[in-house]
Amino acid sequence: MKKSILTAFIFLGIFTISCSSDDGNNGGSTSNFLPLTTGDQWTYDVIGGGAVQTDILSVGNNITINGKVYKQMQTASDPNGFYSLTLRNNGLRKDGAKWLLQGTLDFGDDLPLPINFALNDFVILDGNASNGAILSNLEGTETQDLSGFPVTVTYKLRTISQGTQSSFTTPAPQNQTYQNVKVVKVELRLKITTTQTLVPGFPPITVTILDDQAVVNSTQYYVQNIGMVYNNTDFQYNLAINPSQFNLPIPQSSSQNQKEFLVAHQVAN
């Protein structure tokens, strides 16, 4: 993901994902919508924020986490796209028709308020899932400090199957048509509050900074024996307060779109 997008949306939660099987590419399903042989590689054009950048994502060697064998996903350099960013340095494995992702994705210095999600075998793709099926769901709360304010972040991260499309054509400027496409939506919802004593001698009150809303919607398209061919991600939020009244270095609202197009790939089928 572009750093400009990350900076504009400082509350963006982060997720990490993991998948496993002994060789990273088995599990009893003949459908292979995300190949996982060491050396497999995908090159993406990332369009967003008025710029076109390139990500190169590849499958690394086996790693063992909690007794399970994963493939370590790698990028040639710091990734720009949401898809490559979520996979980088994390473990991915295939179990039957499911792909599961394990690890931690931490934006660190990219965010004034770093948030991370540690996931355990979070399902990012299920070749047998029907339209609307929830593949994985993670909910919780986290307390952070933002410019001296203690804030509580309530989050819900979900992957949702969008079923199968017999044919799909990527938007301009690529206009590439694929057959038998599995579609998955990644959704992140956030609510952010802070409890403050605004008037001395009076009880503290809870102020909502960000109403519960979907701040990330990412739709990914997978093709058999190729992998992820197109990803469309919207980052957006609208604060419930005027941030200047609290001296918060945050825009009142933000809306960004990012598209990732597969332009080259090399996989062992």
Side-chain angles (χ1 to χ4, degrees), residues 21-65:
S21 75
D22 285 351
D23 64 1
N25 197 23
N26 59 22
S29 173
T30 58
S31 297
N32 194 12
F33 287 90
L34 182 50
L36 287 178
T37 299
T38 297
D40 287 351
Q41 180 175 285
W42 302 265
T43 301
Y44 296 99
D45 277 350
V46 182
I47 301 177
V52 180
Q53 297 174 295
T54 299
D55 283 343
I56 300 176
L57 176 69
S58 62
V59 179
N61 295 322
N62 289 354
I63 57 174
T64 301
I65 305 173

mmCIF file of all heavy atoms in Angstrom, residues 21-65:
data_model
loop_
_atom_site.group_PDB
_atom_site.id
_atom_site.type_symbol
_atom_site.label_atom_id
_atom_site.label_comp_id
_atom_site.label_asym_id
_atom_site.label_seq_id
_atom_site.Cartn_x
_atom_site.Cartn_y
_atom_site.Cartn_z
ATOM 1 N N SER A 21 0.443 -26.308 4.632
ATOM 2 C CA SER A 21 0.392 -27.725 4.334
ATOM 3 C C SER A 21 1.830 -28.175 4.247
ATOM 4 O O SER A 21 2.730 -27.360 4.131
ATOM 5 C CB SER A 21 -0.347 -27.995 3.016
ATOM 6 O OG SER A 21 0.438 -27.670 1.929
ATOM 7 N N ASP A 22 2.098 -29.478 4.266
ATOM 8 C CA ASP A 22 3.473 -29.930 4.371
ATOM 9 C C ASP A 22 4.343 -29.388 3.262
ATOM 10 O O ASP A 22 5.507 -29.076 3.465
ATOM 11 C CB ASP A 22 3.536 -31.462 4.390
ATOM 12 C CG ASP A 22 3.094 -32.000 5.741
ATOM 13 O OD1 ASP A 22 2.923 -31.172 6.666
ATOM 14 O OD2 ASP A 22 2.913 -33.211 5.860
ATOM 15 N N ASP A 23 3.815 -29.287 2.040
ATOM 16 C CA ASP A 23 4.611 -28.721 0.964
ATOM 17 C C ASP A 23 4.084 -27.373 0.526
ATOM 18 O O ASP A 23 4.554 -26.801 -0.444
ATOM 19 C CB ASP A 23 4.655 -29.680 -0.239
ATOM 20 C CG ASP A 23 3.287 -29.878 -0.858
ATOM 21 O OD1 ASP A 23 2.324 -29.260 -0.376
ATOM 22 O OD2 ASP A 23 3.194 -30.646 -1.823
ATOM 23 N N GLY A 24 3.060 -26.852 1.233
ATOM 24 C CA GLY A 24 2.509 -25.544 0.911
ATOM 25 C C GLY A 24 1.604 -25.556 -0.291
ATOM 26 O O GLY A 24 1.073 -24.533 -0.667
ATOM 27 N N ASN A 25 1.414 -26.716 -0.921
ATOM 28 C CA ASN A 25 0.644 -26.712 -2.171
ATOM 29 C C ASN A 25 -0.124 -28.017 -2.355
ATOM 30 O O ASN A 25 -0.251 -28.518 -3.451
ATOM 31 C CB ASN A 25 1.589 -26.489 -3.354
ATOM 32 C CG ASN A 25 0.834 -26.064 -4.583
ATOM 33 O OD1 ASN A 25 -0.264 -25.531 -4.491
ATOM 34 N ND2 ASN A 25 1.422 -26.293 -5.741
ATOM 35 N N ASN A 26 -0.623 -28.581 -1.208
ATOM 36 C CA ASN A 26 -1.438 -29.772 -1.330
ATOM 37 C C ASN A 26 -2.668 -29.629 -0.463
ATOM 38 O O ASN A 26 -3.026 -28.546 -0.064
ATOM 39 C CB ASN A 26 -0.631 -31.028 -0.981
ATOM 40 C CG ASN A 26 -0.093 -30.980 0.428
ATOM 41 O OD1 ASN A 26 -0.605 -30.250 1.280
ATOM 42 N ND2 ASN A 26 0.945 -31.756 0.679
ATOM 43 N N GLY A 27 -3.310 -30.713 -0.113
ATOM 44 C CA GLY A 27 -4.443 -30.635 0.787
ATOM 45 C C GLY A 27 -5.693 -31.281 0.230
ATOM 46 O O GLY A 27 -6.750 -31.151 0.805
ATOM 47 N N GLY A 28 -5.595 -31.989 -0.899
ATOM 48 C CA GLY A 28 -6.707 -32.791 -1.346
ATOM 49 C C GLY A 28 -7.654 -32.100 -2.294
ATOM 50 O O GLY A 28 -8.652 -32.679 -2.691
ATOM 51 N N SER A 29 -7.402 -30.869 -2.691
ATOM 52 C CA SER A 29 -8.282 -30.185 -3.637
ATOM 53 C C SER A 29 -7.574 -30.076 -4.976
ATOM 54 O O SER A 29 -6.400 -29.724 -5.047
ATOM 55 C CB SER A 29 -8.643 -28.799 -3.119
ATOM 56 O OG SER A 29 -9.365 -28.086 -4.100
ATOM 57 N N THR A 30 -8.303 -30.386 -6.070
ATOM 58 C CA THR A 30 -7.690 -30.318 -7.390
ATOM 59 C C THR A 30 -7.677 -28.902 -7.928
ATOM 60 O O THR A 30 -6.983 -28.613 -8.901
ATOM 61 C CB THR A 30 -8.440 -31.242 -8.372
ATOM 62 O OG1 THR A 30 -9.817 -30.843 -8.406
ATOM 63 C CG2 THR A 30 -8.356 -32.693 -7.916
ATOM 64 N N SER A 31 -8.462 -27.998 -7.330
ATOM 65 C CA SER A 31 -8.508 -26.615 -7.787
ATOM 66 C C SER A 31 -7.396 -25.826 -7.119
ATOM 67 O O SER A 31 -7.293 -25.813 -5.895
ATOM 68 C CB SER A 31 -9.872 -25.990 -7.472
ATOM 69 O OG SER A 31 -10.888 -26.664 -8.177
ATOM 70 N N ASN A 32 -6.579 -25.168 -7.919
ATOM 71 C CA ASN A 32 -5.418 -24.464 -7.380
ATOM 72 C C ASN A 32 -5.504 -22.994 -7.776
ATOM 73 O O ASN A 32 -4.880 -22.560 -8.737
ATOM 74 C CB ASN A 32 -4.128 -25.095 -7.897
ATOM 75 C CG ASN A 32 -2.914 -24.630 -7.113
ATOM 76 O OD1 ASN A 32 -3.047 -24.022 -6.058
ATOM 77 N ND2 ASN A 32 -1.739 -24.913 -7.631
ATOM 78 N N PHE A 33 -6.280 -22.239 -7.008
ATOM 79 C CA PHE A 33 -6.498 -20.833 -7.328
ATOM 80 C C PHE A 33 -5.398 -19.931 -6.784
ATOM 81 O O PHE A 33 -5.393 -18.736 -7.074
ATOM 82 C CB PHE A 33 -7.859 -20.386 -6.794
ATOM 83 C CG PHE A 33 -9.013 -20.934 -7.588
ATOM 84 C CD1 PHE A 33 -9.590 -22.153 -7.255
ATOM 85 C CD2 PHE A 33 -9.489 -20.252 -8.690
ATOM 86 C CE1 PHE A 33 -10.638 -22.673 -7.992
ATOM 87 C CE2 PHE A 33 -10.539 -20.763 -9.443
ATOM 88 C CZ PHE A 33 -11.121 -21.978 -9.096
ATOM 89 N N LEU A 34 -4.467 -20.505 -6.018
ATOM 90 C CA LEU A 34 -3.315 -19.741 -5.537
ATOM 91 C C LEU A 34 -2.134 -20.691 -5.406
ATOM 92 O O LEU A 34 -1.908 -21.298 -4.356
ATOM 93 C CB LEU A 34 -3.632 -19.061 -4.205
ATOM 94 C CG LEU A 34 -2.526 -18.177 -3.582
ATOM 95 C CD1 LEU A 34 -1.978 -17.187 -4.612
ATOM 96 C CD2 LEU A 34 -3.060 -17.445 -2.364
ATOM 97 N N PRO A 35 -1.362 -20.874 -6.485
ATOM 98 C CA PRO A 35 -0.229 -21.796 -6.460
ATOM 99 C C PRO A 35 0.778 -21.427 -5.373
ATOM 100 O O PRO A 35 1.016 -20.251 -5.106
ATOM 101 C CB PRO A 35 0.378 -21.639 -7.862
ATOM 102 C CG PRO A 35 -0.759 -21.168 -8.716
ATOM 103 C CD PRO A 35 -1.574 -20.284 -7.818
ATOM 104 N N LEU A 36 1.371 -22.460 -4.774
ATOM 105 C CA LEU A 36 2.305 -22.228 -3.670
ATOM 106 C C LEU A 36 3.539 -23.112 -3.782
ATOM 107 O O LEU A 36 3.934 -23.789 -2.830
ATOM 108 C CB LEU A 36 1.619 -22.477 -2.317
ATOM 109 C CG LEU A 36 0.611 -21.432 -1.842
ATOM 110 C CD1 LEU A 36 -0.011 -21.843 -0.508
ATOM 111 C CD2 LEU A 36 1.267 -20.062 -1.711
ATOM 112 N N THR A 37 4.153 -23.092 -4.943
ATOM 113 C CA THR A 37 5.430 -23.772 -5.121
ATOM 114 C C THR A 37 6.549 -22.749 -4.979
ATOM 115 O O THR A 37 6.462 -21.641 -5.517
ATOM 116 C CB THR A 37 5.501 -24.438 -6.509
ATOM 117 O OG1 THR A 37 4.464 -25.411 -6.625
ATOM 118 C CG2 THR A 37 6.843 -25.113 -6.718
ATOM 119 N N THR A 38 7.581 -23.125 -4.230
ATOM 120 C CA THR A 38 8.715 -22.211 -4.053
ATOM 121 C C THR A 38 9.213 -21.710 -5.410
ATOM 122 O O THR A 38 9.454 -22.502 -6.325
ATOM 123 C CB THR A 38 9.858 -22.921 -3.300
ATOM 124 O OG1 THR A 38 9.409 -23.287 -1.995
ATOM 125 C CG2 THR A 38 11.074 -22.011 -3.174
ATOM 126 N N GLY A 39 9.324 -20.414 -5.540
ATOM 127 C CA GLY A 39 9.764 -19.798 -6.793
ATOM 128 C C GLY A 39 8.630 -19.215 -7.611
ATOM 129 O O GLY A 39 8.890 -18.417 -8.536
ATOM 130 N N ASP A 40 7.386 -19.588 -7.322
ATOM 131 C CA ASP A 40 6.264 -18.954 -8.015
ATOM 132 C C ASP A 40 6.309 -17.445 -7.791
ATOM 133 O O ASP A 40 6.636 -16.975 -6.692
ATOM 134 C CB ASP A 40 4.932 -19.509 -7.493
ATOM 135 C CG ASP A 40 4.659 -20.930 -7.962
ATOM 136 O OD1 ASP A 40 5.408 -21.430 -8.830
ATOM 137 O OD2 ASP A 40 3.705 -21.554 -7.447
ATOM 138 N N GLN A 41 5.942 -16.699 -8.833
ATOM 139 C CA GLN A 41 6.119 -15.237 -8.755
ATOM 140 C C GLN A 41 5.044 -14.516 -9.548
ATOM 141 O O GLN A 41 4.599 -14.985 -10.606
ATOM 142 C CB GLN A 41 7.505 -14.866 -9.300
ATOM 143 C CG GLN A 41 7.827 -13.393 -9.272
ATOM 144 C CD GLN A 41 9.260 -13.122 -9.702
ATOM 145 O OE1 GLN A 41 10.212 -13.356 -8.964
ATOM 146 N NE2 GLN A 41 9.429 -12.639 -10.931
ATOM 147 N N TRP A 42 4.606 -13.366 -8.992
ATOM 148 C CA TRP A 42 3.596 -12.524 -9.632
ATOM 149 C C TRP A 42 4.079 -11.074 -9.634
ATOM 150 O O TRP A 42 4.589 -10.576 -8.627
ATOM 151 C CB TRP A 42 2.267 -12.603 -8.879
ATOM 152 C CG TRP A 42 1.714 -13.986 -8.767
ATOM 153 C CD1 TRP A 42 0.799 -14.587 -9.594
ATOM 154 C CD2 TRP A 42 2.003 -14.960 -7.753
ATOM 155 N NE1 TRP A 42 0.516 -15.855 -9.169
ATOM 156 C CE2 TRP A 42 1.235 -16.112 -8.032
ATOM 157 C CE3 TRP A 42 2.853 -14.957 -6.631
ATOM 158 C CZ2 TRP A 42 1.297 -17.252 -7.239
ATOM 159 C CZ3 TRP A 42 2.905 -16.093 -5.834
ATOM 160 C CH2 TRP A 42 2.133 -17.220 -6.141
ATOM 161 N N THR A 43 3.873 -10.398 -10.751
ATOM 162 C CA THR A 43 4.217 -8.987 -10.868
ATOM 163 C C THR A 43 2.932 -8.188 -11.052
ATOM 164 O O THR A 43 2.110 -8.512 -11.923
ATOM 165 C CB THR A 43 5.158 -8.733 -12.056
ATOM 166 O OG1 THR A 43 6.353 -9.502 -11.879
ATOM 167 C CG2 THR A 43 5.533 -7.249 -12.139
ATOM 168 N N TYR A 44 2.767 -7.157 -10.227
ATOM 169 C CA TYR A 44 1.542 -6.348 -10.252
ATOM 170 C C TYR A 44 1.860 -4.885 -10.530
ATOM 171 O O TYR A 44 2.825 -4.332 -9.985
ATOM 172 C CB TYR A 44 0.820 -6.430 -8.898
ATOM 173 C CG TYR A 44 0.322 -7.804 -8.544
ATOM 174 C CD1 TYR A 44 1.037 -8.623 -7.676
ATOM 175 C CD2 TYR A 44 -0.871 -8.287 -9.084
ATOM 176 C CE1 TYR A 44 0.578 -9.898 -7.351
ATOM 177 C CE2 TYR A 44 -1.338 -9.559 -8.757
ATOM 178 C CZ TYR A 44 -0.597 -10.360 -7.899
ATOM 179 O OH TYR A 44 -1.057 -11.616 -7.578
ATOM 180 N N ASP A 45 1.046 -4.278 -11.391
ATOM 181 C CA ASP A 45 1.013 -2.822 -11.500
ATOM 182 C C ASP A 45 0.032 -2.311 -10.453
ATOM 183 O O ASP A 45 -1.119 -2.764 -10.395
ATOM 184 C CB ASP A 45 0.559 -2.374 -12.896
ATOM 185 C CG ASP A 45 1.690 -2.364 -13.901
ATOM 186 O OD1 ASP A 45 2.854 -2.522 -13.498
ATOM 187 O OD2 ASP A 45 1.397 -2.211 -15.106
ATOM 188 N N VAL A 46 0.486 -1.381 -9.618
ATOM 189 C CA VAL A 46 -0.322 -0.828 -8.543
ATOM 190 C C VAL A 46 -0.664 0.610 -8.893
ATOM 191 O O VAL A 46 0.235 1.456 -9.016
ATOM 192 C CB VAL A 46 0.413 -0.898 -7.192
ATOM 193 C CG1 VAL A 46 -0.469 -0.361 -6.070
ATOM 194 C CG2 VAL A 46 0.861 -2.327 -6.900
ATOM 195 N N ILE A 47 -1.954 0.895 -9.065
ATOM 196 C CA ILE A 47 -2.398 2.227 -9.473
ATOM 197 C C ILE A 47 -3.188 2.850 -8.331
ATOM 198 O O ILE A 47 -4.181 2.298 -7.864
ATOM 199 C CB ILE A 47 -3.270 2.160 -10.738
ATOM 200 C CG1 ILE A 47 -2.479 1.525 -11.888
ATOM 201 C CG2 ILE A 47 -3.762 3.553 -11.125
ATOM 202 C CD1 ILE A 47 -3.290 1.353 -13.162
ATOM 203 N N GLY A 48 -2.740 4.005 -7.879
ATOM 204 C CA GLY A 48 -3.421 4.711 -6.801
ATOM 205 C C GLY A 48 -2.703 5.990 -6.462
ATOM 206 O O GLY A 48 -1.479 6.094 -6.601
ATOM 207 N N GLY A 49 -3.472 6.988 -6.041
ATOM 208 C CA GLY A 49 -2.857 8.255 -5.675
ATOM 209 C C GLY A 49 -2.166 8.953 -6.826
ATOM 210 O O GLY A 49 -1.204 9.710 -6.623
ATOM 211 N N GLY A 50 -2.627 8.698 -8.053
ATOM 212 C CA GLY A 50 -2.041 9.356 -9.216
ATOM 213 C C GLY A 50 -0.722 8.761 -9.666
ATOM 214 O O GLY A 50 -0.052 9.345 -10.529
ATOM 215 N N ALA A 51 -0.338 7.602 -9.120
ATOM 216 C CA ALA A 51 0.943 6.997 -9.477
ATOM 217 C C ALA A 51 0.736 5.544 -9.889
ATOM 218 O O ALA A 51 -0.232 4.893 -9.503
ATOM 219 C CB ALA A 51 1.911 7.073 -8.312
ATOM 220 N N VAL A 52 1.672 5.029 -10.687
ATOM 221 C CA VAL A 52 1.709 3.623 -11.060
ATOM 222 C C VAL A 52 3.022 3.046 -10.553
ATOM 223 O O VAL A 52 4.107 3.527 -10.912
ATOM 224 C CB VAL A 52 1.599 3.419 -12.584
ATOM 225 C CG1 VAL A 52 1.651 1.933 -12.918
ATOM 226 C CG2 VAL A 52 0.322 4.041 -13.123
ATOM 227 N N GLN A 53 2.933 2.036 -9.703
ATOM 228 C CA GLN A 53 4.119 1.417 -9.136
ATOM 229 C C GLN A 53 4.057 -0.086 -9.364
ATOM 230 O O GLN A 53 3.045 -0.611 -9.827
ATOM 231 C CB GLN A 53 4.224 1.747 -7.643
ATOM 232 C CG GLN A 53 4.392 3.249 -7.395
ATOM 233 C CD GLN A 53 4.354 3.608 -5.917
ATOM 234 O OE1 GLN A 53 3.335 3.444 -5.269
ATOM 235 N NE2 GLN A 53 5.465 4.100 -5.398
ATOM 236 N N THR A 54 5.150 -0.778 -9.046
ATOM 237 C CA THR A 54 5.249 -2.204 -9.325
ATOM 238 C C THR A 54 5.566 -2.979 -8.056
ATOM 239 O O THR A 54 6.447 -2.585 -7.279
ATOM 240 C CB THR A 54 6.344 -2.477 -10.365
ATOM 241 O OG1 THR A 54 6.022 -1.800 -11.588
ATOM 242 C CG2 THR A 54 6.469 -3.966 -10.650
ATOM 243 N N ASP A 55 4.826 -4.067 -7.857
ATOM 244 C CA ASP A 55 5.108 -5.025 -6.790
ATOM 245 C C ASP A 55 5.466 -6.366 -7.405
ATOM 246 O O ASP A 55 4.848 -6.788 -8.390
ATOM 247 C CB ASP A 55 3.892 -5.223 -5.880
ATOM 248 C CG ASP A 55 3.675 -4.080 -4.903
ATOM 249 O OD1 ASP A 55 4.616 -3.283 -4.692
ATOM 250 O OD2 ASP A 55 2.556 -3.979 -4.359
ATOM 251 N N ILE A 56 6.454 -7.037 -6.833
ATOM 252 C CA ILE A 56 6.802 -8.402 -7.228
ATOM 253 C C ILE A 56 6.668 -9.283 -5.993
ATOM 254 O O ILE A 56 7.396 -9.121 -5.012
ATOM 255 C CB ILE A 56 8.226 -8.489 -7.807
ATOM 256 C CG1 ILE A 56 8.348 -7.606 -9.051
ATOM 257 C CG2 ILE A 56 8.562 -9.943 -8.145
ATOM 258 C CD1 ILE A 56 9.749 -7.562 -9.643
ATOM 259 N N LEU A 57 5.700 -10.184 -6.034
ATOM 260 C CA LEU A 57 5.409 -11.092 -4.926
ATOM 261 C C LEU A 57 5.842 -12.494 -5.315
ATOM 262 O O LEU A 57 5.611 -12.929 -6.453
ATOM 263 C CB LEU A 57 3.907 -11.070 -4.637
ATOM 264 C CG LEU A 57 3.381 -12.023 -3.570
ATOM 265 C CD1 LEU A 57 3.847 -11.601 -2.182
ATOM 266 C CD2 LEU A 57 1.851 -12.096 -3.623
ATOM 267 N N SER A 58 6.481 -13.213 -4.381
ATOM 268 C CA SER A 58 6.947 -14.556 -4.697
ATOM 269 C C SER A 58 6.764 -15.494 -3.513
ATOM 270 O O SER A 58 6.574 -15.060 -2.372
ATOM 271 C CB SER A 58 8.423 -14.530 -5.116
ATOM 272 O OG SER A 58 9.235 -14.052 -4.060
ATOM 273 N N VAL A 59 6.812 -16.790 -3.827
ATOM 274 C CA VAL A 59 6.705 -17.833 -2.807
ATOM 275 C C VAL A 59 8.107 -18.258 -2.404
ATOM 276 O O VAL A 59 8.909 -18.672 -3.251
ATOM 277 C CB VAL A 59 5.912 -19.041 -3.341
ATOM 278 C CG1 VAL A 59 5.826 -20.125 -2.268
ATOM 279 C CG2 VAL A 59 4.520 -18.618 -3.788
ATOM 280 N N GLY A 60 8.385 -18.158 -1.102
ATOM 281 C CA GLY A 60 9.697 -18.531 -0.603
ATOM 282 C C GLY A 60 9.736 -19.977 -0.136
ATOM 283 O O GLY A 60 8.936 -20.818 -0.553
ATOM 284 N N ASN A 61 10.662 -20.259 0.764
ATOM 285 C CA ASN A 61 10.862 -21.615 1.261
ATOM 286 C C ASN A 61 9.880 -21.962 2.370
ATOM 287 O O ASN A 61 9.136 -21.108 2.854
ATOM 288 C CB ASN A 61 12.296 -21.772 1.761
ATOM 289 C CG ASN A 61 13.318 -21.652 0.655
ATOM 290 O OD1 ASN A 61 13.094 -22.125 -0.453
ATOM 291 N ND2 ASN A 61 14.451 -21.022 0.937
ATOM 292 N N ASN A 62 9.899 -23.219 2.778
ATOM 293 C CA ASN A 62 9.054 -23.666 3.876
ATOM 294 C C ASN A 62 9.495 -23.055 5.201
ATOM 295 O O ASN A 62 10.705 -22.902 5.455
ATOM 296 C CB ASN A 62 9.114 -25.188 4.011
ATOM 297 C CG ASN A 62 8.413 -25.913 2.882
ATOM 298 O OD1 ASN A 62 7.767 -25.291 2.035
ATOM 299 N ND2 ASN A 62 8.531 -27.230 2.857
ATOM 300 N N ILE A 63 8.526 -22.708 6.019
ATOM 301 C CA ILE A 63 8.773 -22.313 7.395
ATOM 302 C C ILE A 63 7.789 -23.076 8.278
ATOM 303 O O ILE A 63 6.687 -23.392 7.848
ATOM 304 C CB ILE A 63 8.633 -20.790 7.622
ATOM 305 C CG1 ILE A 63 7.237 -20.293 7.189
ATOM 306 C CG2 ILE A 63 9.729 -20.016 6.911
ATOM 307 C CD1 ILE A 63 6.980 -18.835 7.525
ATOM 308 N N THR A 64 8.207 -23.395 9.503
ATOM 309 C CA THR A 64 7.348 -24.128 10.431
ATOM 310 C C THR A 64 6.923 -23.209 11.563
ATOM 311 O O THR A 64 7.764 -22.598 12.222
ATOM 312 C CB THR A 64 8.076 -25.354 10.990
ATOM 313 O OG1 THR A 64 8.475 -26.215 9.915
ATOM 314 C CG2 THR A 64 7.171 -26.138 11.930
ATOM 315 N N ILE A 65 5.609 -23.103 11.761
ATOM 316 C CA ILE A 65 5.033 -22.279 12.822
ATOM 317 C C ILE A 65 4.054 -23.139 13.596
ATOM 318 O O ILE A 65 3.100 -23.669 13.029
ATOM 319 C CB ILE A 65 4.323 -21.038 12.262
ATOM 320 C CG1 ILE A 65 5.258 -20.214 11.370
ATOM 321 C CG2 ILE A 65 3.775 -20.164 13.392
ATOM 322 C CD1 ILE A 65 4.577 -19.066 10.647
#
